[in-house]
Each structure stands twice: as structure tokens, then as C-alpha cells.
Amino acid sequence: MTPPGFTGSTLDRADAIRSDPAAIAALAADPGARLLDLAAYEPVATDAGRLGWAAMPGQDDTAFLGFVDGAPCFVAIPSPAPAARRTATLFPILDRLVPEDAATYAAARSLADWHARHHHCANCGQPTAPFRAGWGRRCDACRTEHFPRTDPVVIMLAEIGEGEDARVLVGRQPAFPKGRYSALAGFVEVGESIEEAVRRELHEEAGVPTGAVRYVASQPWPFASSLMIACIAAAENEAITLDTTELEAAMWVTRADVRAALDGAPDAPFIAPPPYAIANTLFRRWVAGA
Amino acid sequence: MTPPGFTGSTLDRADAIRSDPAAIAALAADPGARLLDLAAYEPVATDAGRLGWAAMPGQDDTAFLGFVDGAPCFVAIPSPAPAARRTATLFPILDRLVPEDAATYAAARSLADWHARHHHCANCGQPTAPFRAGWGRRCDACRTEHFPRTDPVVIMLAEIGEGEDARVLVGRQPAFPKGRYSALAGFVEVGESIEEAVRRELHEEAGVPTGAVRYVASQPWPFASSLMIACIAAAENEAITLDTTELEAAMWVTRADVRAALDGAPDAPFIAPPPYAIANTLFRRWVAGA
């Protein structure tokens, strides 16, 4: 089974070293140290499909990513934040990377982007500075410590029926490419479990009541820094009441429909989400019996 | 099977209303509106084990929680943040609440605490003000929108062996009460999946290499606003290399050991985490065959 996109990084994060500034300085000065300089957050792909790294000397503002193949790896902290949040050229570059390097890029991008957008203390407003080798920022004025944010998002299929008769709910947002449908999704809010967030979102966006929820897979999504949590929820009935501020259409599809969509069949009733998205993984796992 | 602590709130979050300030103002003026005023973040429990609510009139700075039993419910936004983060008297109060009201409290507490600690824009440092009925804060200076933070945390048992011979890894932090052991845990970092975070933490804290990871359950944890994700990971060997900055001891325990701990048996090899903690749920699910 293909693992979800942006997973499988070979990065050894070496957490224990982060709190040792002298060790980090020595690693940064190591001739074998590598730097990822994400101009506009875009990576460079080599002809061999590997992430392009630069040499370190002279680079000041960096975060320590960890070790890749034994080499200490850093990412440059952009200041101010690059304007481009997600360029049209990004996914063609990612498609040329081996999966483990795309995953390393995802971690570096989320970390660099968090720094770029968090130069001040949310508690008191004063400027903050990186600490813990770039895995946090500290306010010298009020002593508050801030840590990179990871936002959990549930992405789910409501399912009705069993075996080959089973159908799942897919929806489309107005911004999707023509014909594209995907799983419904939304941020997990404070004070709710994964299962409660799944049921709330299916109820809010499609009016579909659901009961038991089963977990399927997860992935990091670096736009900006989500943790995607893919689930399947048992629907209690199939009437759809669409929240048109979120979705422009929703429908129930069969396993045959989803297989056709994943195969890119010309008569498929919808176009599947691309392989990097965990919705693609979720569809693949569901047709395989998840 | 007992659900995890802090789940089961009967709150209808009514997300669609949040973006309608006139509707929120009308609900706040409703004679049936209820206010949760979390002085030092502590709730009031009634004799019937219900969350104590106050009347709304005159309250300015509030966030709209949603509807409970049809009544519009709000929480007061504290300013500045109360000093006490987690008092000794809190859990005795929670123990008197019915589970669904403890869950509503958890949501309200995390939301109120997020506001109290985020009065400034992390991007530019200027003051921010609540919007979306208190489910966000906006900076008028740089137009950045900020949303409540939910930090995913993995909490997991490494497991070795099968059936009644299976054993799981438990550890204790220096701050734990005497005799207490629990599942290992840590924050999910940017750029990793749940499964990768589980394997990284077990490797970092105990030196235990693991393979397949299975998801068990989740809960919100309102100190300050975590999403706890409980898993079991297949250990590849049982040698323990302790990270003594995190744990002071770790050991492998059998199903009989865990049953004894959950039962509070005097000869149990350790004291189990309390019922509110999802580690307790995780132990219960594991002895039941999860």
C-alpha cells in the first residue's frame, strides 16, 4: 500500500541536541553541513530526484532540521515571510522528488514558514528570537516560550451500506478544478476528539448524521502546517443537506465509481484528488477494504 | 467501553452562526443566555453534578460556545490571563461533574485561555481583537487572522509479544505521584504523521524501535489545548535506553499487571493514571484486546 504523501522522511530530528547551543554551532560549522534555502518556500529538485541542498558557511538565521544520511541539515529562516504561499510551480517540482525528500521538504517548509509569520510575542507583542535550535521562539520581555504550530484537520468519508453495496460521500468546493470531488474536511476545534470533529464536520457541511468513526491514516500537510487525520464514519442515513458556504455539490459514490476515479477512467463520475493528498490515500484504502 | 475523558459534550457549536455578528448579539441579549465565568479557569459544579452557569446581562468580552439544551452559551474572555494554570482543587470539581459537562468545560477553558494568552499579533506585535464570535482574533494593523490553537500529542504503548504473553512499555516522569507509571507521550512536530511521531517518541525517550502503529482513541486535553491521540506500536525488541531528561524509569508490564493497576490492587506493580487521562482509556482498551 502506497504511504501517504509527505511521509517517510529519513530525517533524524535528534531532539536531544536541540537544547545544546554549542553542539548546534559546531554542527553548523561542519564542512558537511547542508542548508535548505526555501526562496518563496520552493525546493530545488536535482536530476536524481533529490532535494537540492546548499553549503552552510556564513548563514546566520537557521533552524536545525536534524541529520540526513549523517549530514547535519539546516533550513534558512526567511525574514520577512515570502509573499508566495503556494505557487503553481511547486507540485511539478515535488513530483520530481523522491517521497522521502518531499517529506523532509514539508517539515522544513512548515518550520521556516512558522518563523516567518511569528516574529512577535502573541502574549505581549514584543519581538521574539529563535531558541532550541530553531524549534521555538522566546520573548525576552515577558519570558513566554512559543512553539511551532501543528493544526490537526479531520478529513473523512461518510459511508453507508456494506461490502460492494457500500457508498461514500464526496463533495466539491467551488475552488476545486473542474470535475474534482474529494473527502470532506475541517479543523479539529478545542475541546473535541477526532471522532467528535469528524461527526461535527459531516453534520455541518452535508447534514449527514454519523455514528462509529474508524481511523485510517495521517499525513503532514505543509500549507501551512496541518496534521491531516483521515477517517471513515458510519452514516445513519443518506439525505444530504448541503452547507453551500463550504461546498457546491456532494454525492454518494460506489467502490466502482472510486476505482474508476483513481484509475482516471474517462467515464468516471468524478476526478480523484491528486496522489499527494491524503484524500487519495483514503480512497485507495477504502476501495481496498478499510 | 467508557469513553475518554473530556469527550461527549452536548454542545452544538453552531459554526454557521459565528460569522453573523447580529445573530450573536441577539443570542447574547436572550434572557435564556448562559455565561461561564472561569475565574482562575475553575468551573462551578452544582449539587446535581452539572456545570454552573451565570446570567449574561452586562457581560462584554465573551466567546460564543454554542447551544446547550437549546440555550445560547458563552464564556467570558479573561484579561489578563488568570495566574493559576491548573489548581489542586480542579479535579475534585471535575469529578463531581457529569462527563458531558466536563467536556463542555474543557472546550470553554481552552478557548478562554487561548484568548487570554494571545492579545497581540504574532506577525506584527500590535493588539488583536476577537472576531467570528470569539473563534478567532484579528489584527487591524496587518490584517492577519489568528485561530485557536489545538496541539496534537501522541500518547502510546510499545507492545511486544502476543495474546496473554504480550507486554507494553510504561514509564514515569519525575513529577508523577509516587508509584505512578503511564504511557509515553510527546507533541506531534511539523512535517510528521501520527505514526512517525509515535515511532520517534518511543525511540527518543526509551530507545525502543517500533514498526506498525495502530490508532486506539483520542481526547481533548484542556491544559492548555492538546488533542491527545492514543496508539499502540509494535516493538521490534525490548531493550530500553532511557532518556533521563524525560523519564526516570520505564518497564515492560503484562496484561495482568495492567489489570491489577487499573483495579487499584495493593500488589499491582504500578499505579495507573487517573480516569480523566486517555492513558487510562488506552490501558483499558489494551487489556480488552485493542
Side-chain angles (χ1 to χ4, degrees):
Chain A
M1 191 70 74
T2 311
F6 297 121
T7 66
S9 170
T10 56
L11 189 65
D12 169 6
R13 294 173 180 236
D15 172 74
I17 299 178
R18 293 177 186 168
S19 47
D20 183 345
I24 295 294
L27 290 171
D30 187 307
R34 303 179 191 171
L35 178 73
L36 206 54
D37 190 359
L38 297 177
Y41 299 128
E42 279 200 7
V44 171
T46 69
D47 289 344
R50 301 306 303 260
L51 200 50
W53 298 85
M56 274 288 285
Q59 186 69 31
D60 269 343
D61 225 6
T62 62
F64 175 62
L65 293 172
F67 297 96
V68 174
D69 300 331
C73 293
F74 294 79
V75 62
I77 298 179
S79 176
R85 294 296 305 277
R86 191 166 146 190
T87 56
T89 45
L90 176 61
F91 275 91
I93 299 173
L94 291 179
D95 285 339
R96 291 165 47 208
L97 286 179
V98 295
E100 59 264 38
D101 280 11
T104 302
Y105 161 73
R109 177 187 167 120
S110 288
L111 186 59
D113 185 51
W114 175 76
H115 279 287
R117 294 180 295 111
H118 291 77
H119 280 271
H120 290 263
C121 177
N123 187 52
C124 77
Q126 292 304 302
T128 55
F131 80 121
R132 287 203 84 235
W135 285 88
R137 299 185 70 90
R138 189 161 43 200
C139 177
D140 284 337
C142 75
R143 317 304 296 172
T144 301
E145 296 182 344
H146 302 275
F147 296 96
R149 201 177 152 125
T150 304
D151 297 310
V153 172
V154 285
I155 178 162
M156 59 266 154
L157 297 171
E159 180 187 45
I160 200 153
E162 286 180 15
E164 265 309 300
D165 292 332
R167 287 172 300 149
V168 290
L169 183 72
V170 297
R172 62 170 275 118
Q173 298 170 16
F176 279 4
K178 186 166 180 289
R180 165 86 50 83
Y181 279 74
S182 189
L184 276 52
F187 288 99
V188 179
E189 295 192 345
V190 293
E192 64 184 1
S193 66
I194 291 171
E195 292 75 9
E196 289 171 333
V198 163
R199 286 190 288 260
R200 177 181 53 74
E201 286 287 345
L202 287 170
H203 176 74
E204 277 177 14
E205 295 193 1
V208 173
T210 49
V213 173
R214 54 192 199 270
Y215 169 88
V216 177
S218 69
Q219 77 166 172
W221 188 247
F223 317 105
S225 59
S226 297
L227 173 67
M228 307 297 297
I229 304 169
C231 297
I232 298 172
E236 290 168 357
N237 70 60
E238 62 190 88
I240 296 172
T241 307
L242 215 57
D243 173 2
T244 52
T245 63
E246 297 276 348
L247 299 175
E248 66 175 23
M251 61 183 177
W252 294 93
V253 295
T254 66
R255 276 187 221 274
D257 293 336
V258 174
R259 279 191 206 102
L262 289 170
D263 291 345
D267 60 346
F270 70 99
I271 294 169
Y276 264 108
I278 201 167
N280 187 289
T281 308
L282 181 55
F283 282 127
R284 287 185 192 280
R285 301 269 172 104
W286 182 67
V287 298
Chain B
M1 190 70 75
T2 311
F6 297 121
T7 66
S9 171
T10 55
L11 188 66
D12 169 6
R13 293 172 181 238
D15 172 73
I17 299 178
R18 293 176 185 168
S19 47
D20 183 347
I24 295 294
L27 289 171
D30 187 306
R34 302 179 192 170
L35 179 73
L36 206 54
D37 190 0
L38 298 177
Y41 298 128
E42 278 200 7
V44 171
T46 69
D47 289 343
R50 301 305 305 258
L51 200 50
W53 298 85
M56 275 288 286
Q59 186 68 32
D60 268 344
D61 225 5
T62 62
F64 175 62
L65 294 172
F67 296 95
V68 174
D69 300 331
C73 293
F74 294 79
V75 62
I77 299 179
S79 176
R85 295 296 305 279
R86 190 166 147 189
T87 56
T89 46
L90 176 61
F91 274 92
I93 299 173
L94 292 179
D95 285 340
R96 290 165 46 208
L97 286 179
V98 295
E100 59 264 38
D101 280 11
T104 301
Y105 161 73
R109 178 188 167 120
S110 287
L111 187 59
D113 185 51
W114 176 75
H115 280 285
R117 293 180 296 110
H118 292 76
H119 279 271
H120 291 263
C121 177
N123 187 53
C124 77
Q126 293 304 303
T128 54
F131 80 121
R132 286 202 87 234
W135 286 88
R137 299 185 69 90
R138 191 162 43 200
C139 176
D140 285 337
C142 76
R143 317 305 297 173
T144 301
E145 296 182 345
H146 302 275
F147 296 96
R149 199 176 154 125
T150 304
D151 297 310
V153 172
V154 285
I155 178 161
M156 59 267 154
L157 298 171
E159 179 187 44
I160 200 152
E162 286 180 13
E164 265 309 300
D165 293 332
R167 287 171 301 149
V168 290
L169 184 72
V170 297
R172 63 170 274 118
Q173 298 170 17
F176 280 3
K178 187 165 179 289
R180 165 84 51 82
Y181 279 74
S182 188
L184 276 52
F187 288 99
V188 178
E189 294 192 345
V190 293
E192 63 184 1
S193 66
I194 290 170
E195 292 75 9
E196 290 171 332
V198 163
R199 286 189 289 260
R200 177 181 54 74
E201 287 287 344
L202 288 169
H203 177 74
E204 278 177 13
E205 295 193 1
V208 173
T210 49
V213 173
R214 54 191 198 271
Y215 169 88
V216 176
S218 69
Q219 75 166 171
W221 187 247
F223 317 105
S225 59
S226 297
L227 173 67
M228 307 297 296
I229 305 169
C231 297
I232 299 172
E236 289 168 356
N237 69 60
E238 63 191 88
I240 296 172
T241 307
L242 216 56
D243 173 3
T244 52
T245 63
E246 297 276 347
L247 297 176
E248 65 174 24
M251 61 184 179
W252 295 92
V253 295
T254 66
R255 275 187 221 274
D257 294 336
V258 174
R259 278 190 207 102
L262 289 170
D263 291 346
D267 61 345
F270 69 100
I271 294 168
Y276 264 108
I278 200 167
N280 187 289
T281 308
L282 182 55
F283 281 128
R284 288 185 191 279
R285 302 270 172 106
W286 182 66
V287 297

